[in-house]
Amino acid sequence: MDVAHFMASSMGGIRTAGDMVARMEYAKNMKIGPAKEYVAKKLGISTLDIADEHIMRELREEMKLGVVTGVPNAPRGIAAKMNLEKLLDIKINSCEKFRQSLRS
Amino acid sequence: MTAKEFYTRMGDGKRVTMTREKIMDDLQAGAADAADMGAIPQISDDDLERLADIICDPNRAVSVEPGNEVVLTYDIGQLDFTGDNGNSGAGVDMGRLEAALLHERALGSDTFELAHSDYSIKPVKPVIAMEMQTMEEIQQEIIIPYFYGAMPNMGLYYAPDGPYGNPADLMREFKIDESMEQSEKAASHLARDIEYVGNKIYAASADGFDFDTIASAGDADFVGSLNGIEALRKANPQMYINSGMSGESVMGIHGAIEYKGNVVAGMFPHQQVKMCEMAGANVFGAVCNTNTSKSLAWNMGRAVTFVKECVKQASIPVHCDLGMGVGGIPMFETPPVDAVTRCSKAMVEIAHVDGV
């Protein structure tokens, strides 16, 4: 059933910009239209392109936002999320907690 | 000449054939049932025709048009891999880190969550330190928003599983006042537990909390959950909070319990969402339960009517619950792909949900 919804109607997570649109819905209570527009503007592409794997695969690697395939040295986890914080102008809880755990 | 028949489904998943005229009749009847029950507007004739087009599409799987994609959120966490068939789980044992990353990198999840095998607030309390460690570990690796998920499941607070008298037993003995009092005590206990578990897991780096099947134990369960959400929001202004319901109507087991001056028993999705907004939720999970004796068309017409009105009245994003037996999808542990994709498309393009 997961795959059926993925194929039928979903953005595709980190294959595209689905995680970023989800973050704007949760972080700012944005509905789907404004959330997509916000993310598209930050990425400098159209709302159609943010769900396009061909465009987003390369853009995510270039902008160090985390990629869906195993690429050595590409940021993942906290490092990728710290880059997402800067891009989307939001705070992410796991990044905040990571920063708090570092010695000043 | 015999009218052309289309493959479609019953609410239990069984394949049947129906003419377009019969499909339209069932769509209208399902939509009318929702409009009547919820005292909400019926969807338009144009919407009904578009729903019929979706059902009658000759392809096995259908999908939204490019540009109409929405966010895909999950409940029950890794239990869809590791759980038994009671959770529609695949029975494949694996670590929670691996399951989370597989959802992120192979299944197109836009969010995911960590879950305890009992998937309820109450049993998480004694093992919260373990859950915190696992949350911290997975947050180091995962990129998509990663929640902690659990059901309020207030039934666990009543005898014989919990400390409070069982309202069903008490009502059978005509102890109505005592039944209501026990429900209120259980709701207060639930709210305290939500606050405890939620604050701990947020301190361990969780993006937020996904409440699954709110109000499954009735109106007091709804009020307890709302009070818990309110406490979490007060303590954690930036926490992501997903409030997913269990049914299209809140069961009035207490009957008079209120949230901020509103009696919650009998509330439908367009009213439930306003309570969740007031409590501080970021996203509302709208539910419409499937009637197994009716067709996919009847269930889809009914579900889209409820959810479309909810989306219209909501100030926060609405994600439609589209699992087994909800949102028009057949009540079956392996729902047919043709039915799932049709309900997915209908909710996105006709009800205009913000996620599924």
Side-chain angles (χ1 to χ4, degrees):
Chain A
M1 194 168 68
D2 303 350
V3 176
H5 280 306
F6 169 29
M7 300 298 288
S9 62
S10 94
M11 291 205 64
I14 62 170
R15 287 172 67 86
T16 65
D19 59 323
M20 299 181 224
V21 175
R23 285 200 185 278
M24 298 322 299
E25 286 196 5
Y26 283 102
K28 302 290 181 191
N29 293 3
M30 287 181 179
K31 293 213 172 196
I32 186 74
K36 281 177 153 182
E37 282 164 21
Y38 184 89
V39 171
K41 193 174 173 192
K42 292 288 184 183
L43 289 168
I45 56 178
S46 74
T47 53
L48 189 66
D49 291 344
I50 62 171
D52 184 332
E53 290 92 335
H54 184 260
I55 290 166
M56 285 307 303
R57 170 63 185 79
E58 203 169 318
L59 193 57
R60 286 194 79 115
E61 186 168 359
E62 196 181 299
M63 297 179 82
K64 300 183 186 300
L65 304 175
V67 290
V68 74
T69 48
V71 178
N73 302 320
R76 61 173 71 171
I78 294 288
K81 284 186 279 191
M82 284 183 163
N83 291 331
L84 284 167
E85 277 186 316
K86 282 184 203 157
L87 175 78
L88 298 175
D89 196 20
I90 56 171
K91 292 289 178 203
I92 295 176
N93 191 37
S94 55
C95 300
E96 291 276 82
K97 295 292 185 291
F98 182 78
R99 282 188 285 268
Q100 287 165 17
S101 71
L102 299 173
R103 289 183 66 183
S104 54
Chain B
M1 184 181 159
T2 321
K4 186 178 179 185
E5 300 228 347
F6 298 87
Y7 281 120
T8 184
R9 300 278 171 179
M10 292 299 291
D12 64 357
K14 185 183 176 188
R15 191 164 70 178
V16 293
T17 60
M18 291 168 72
T19 62
R20 185 175 173 106
E21 289 68 32
K22 176 62 180 150
I23 287 168
M24 272 302 287
D25 286 348
D26 278 13
L27 282 167
Q28 281 165 348
D33 187 69
D36 181 43
M37 281 184 76
I40 54 176
Q42 176 137 235
I43 54 173
S44 68
D45 289 346
D46 184 48
D47 285 344
L48 288 165
E49 287 291 344
R50 289 173 68 197
L51 288 174
D53 289 344
I54 292 171
I55 293 175
C56 296
D57 190 301
N59 295 295
R60 177 169 170 259
V62 300
S63 76
V64 301
E65 291 176 20
N68 288 350
E69 301 89 351
V70 298
V71 166
L72 173 63
T73 56
Y74 279 78
D75 59 13
I76 214 158
Q78 78 291 337
L79 291 166
D80 55 2
F81 284 162
T82 62
D84 61 26
N85 69 334
N87 289 319
S88 288
V92 180
D93 196 24
M94 65 168 66
R96 295 195 280 182
L97 170 65
E98 290 83 355
L101 295 182
L102 276 171
H103 278 83
E104 175 180 88
R105 294 173 199 183
L107 291 175
S109 310
D110 293 315
T111 75
F112 199 57
E113 68 182 34
L114 182 67
H116 176 275
S117 57
D118 204 347
Y119 202 51
S120 300
I121 299 284
K122 189 181 161 193
V124 173
K125 283 190 298 174
V127 295
I128 189 65
M130 289 176 63
E131 302 302 89
M132 291 169 74
Q133 290 181 85
T134 307
M135 175 59 73
E136 286 174 346
E137 185 182 354
I138 297 176
Q139 284 287 358
Q140 296 291 320
E141 274 294 308
I142 203 161
I143 299 166
I144 58 175
Y146 191 58
F147 293 73
Y148 194 82
M151 301 184 293
N153 197 2
M154 207 174 79
L156 292 181
Y157 293 80
Y158 294 134
D161 301 309
Y164 303 107
N166 193 307
D169 294 338
L170 292 166
M171 283 191 282
R172 228 180 343 256
E173 295 165 15
F174 297 101
K175 295 177 180 172
I176 307 302
D177 289 344
E178 198 178 324
S179 166
M180 293 166 84
E181 186 191 353
Q182 295 300 302
S183 292
E184 289 161 20
K185 284 182 175 171
S188 299
H189 198 151
L190 171 63
R192 289 197 301 275
D193 286 354
I194 288 172
E195 188 178 2
Y196 175 76
V197 171
N199 282 336
K200 288 281 186 188
I201 209 72
Y202 192 65
S205 302
D207 281 292
F209 208 102
D210 172 31
F211 292 91
D212 184 14
T213 63
I214 290 174
S216 64
D219 48 355
D221 180 322
F222 192 21
V223 170
S225 302
L226 290 167
N227 285 327
I229 290 171
E230 195 177 324
L232 287 181
R233 174 56 69 224
K234 195 174 170 192
N236 311 291
Q238 304 302 317
M239 185 182 207
Y240 300 175
I241 298 179
N242 198 71
S243 53
M245 299 301 293
S246 57
E248 76 257 10
S249 176
V250 177
M251 291 184 294
I253 292 175
H254 180 288
I257 195 165
E258 296 179 357
Y259 180 68
K260 293 193 186 296
N262 301 283
V263 173
V264 301
M267 280 189 170
F268 287 96
H270 65 287
Q271 298 159 317
Q272 297 164 8
V273 68
K274 303 317 282 184
M275 300 299 108
C276 292
E277 283 174 12
M278 278 198 279
N282 299 110
V283 169
F284 177 70
V287 170
C288 177
N289 306 102
T290 295
N291 183 331
T292 54
S293 303
K294 300 285 189 179
S295 67
L296 174 71
W298 190 90
N299 282 298
M300 192 190 275
R302 188 169 181 273
V304 167
T305 304
F306 272 129
V307 175
K308 186 163 187 169
E309 184 61 18
C310 176
V311 171
K312 209 184 292 176
Q313 295 205 22
S315 304
I316 58 175
V318 174
H319 291 187
C320 183
D321 289 19
L322 281 165
M324 297 74 67
V326 282
I329 290 180
M331 182 64 209
F332 188 62
E333 72 179 19
T334 51
V337 165
D338 49 286
V340 174
T341 57
R342 278 162 176 74
C343 291
S344 213
K345 180 177 170 70
M347 281 300 169
V348 174
E349 295 190 333
I350 313 292
H352 303 301
V353 295
D354 304 283
V356 299

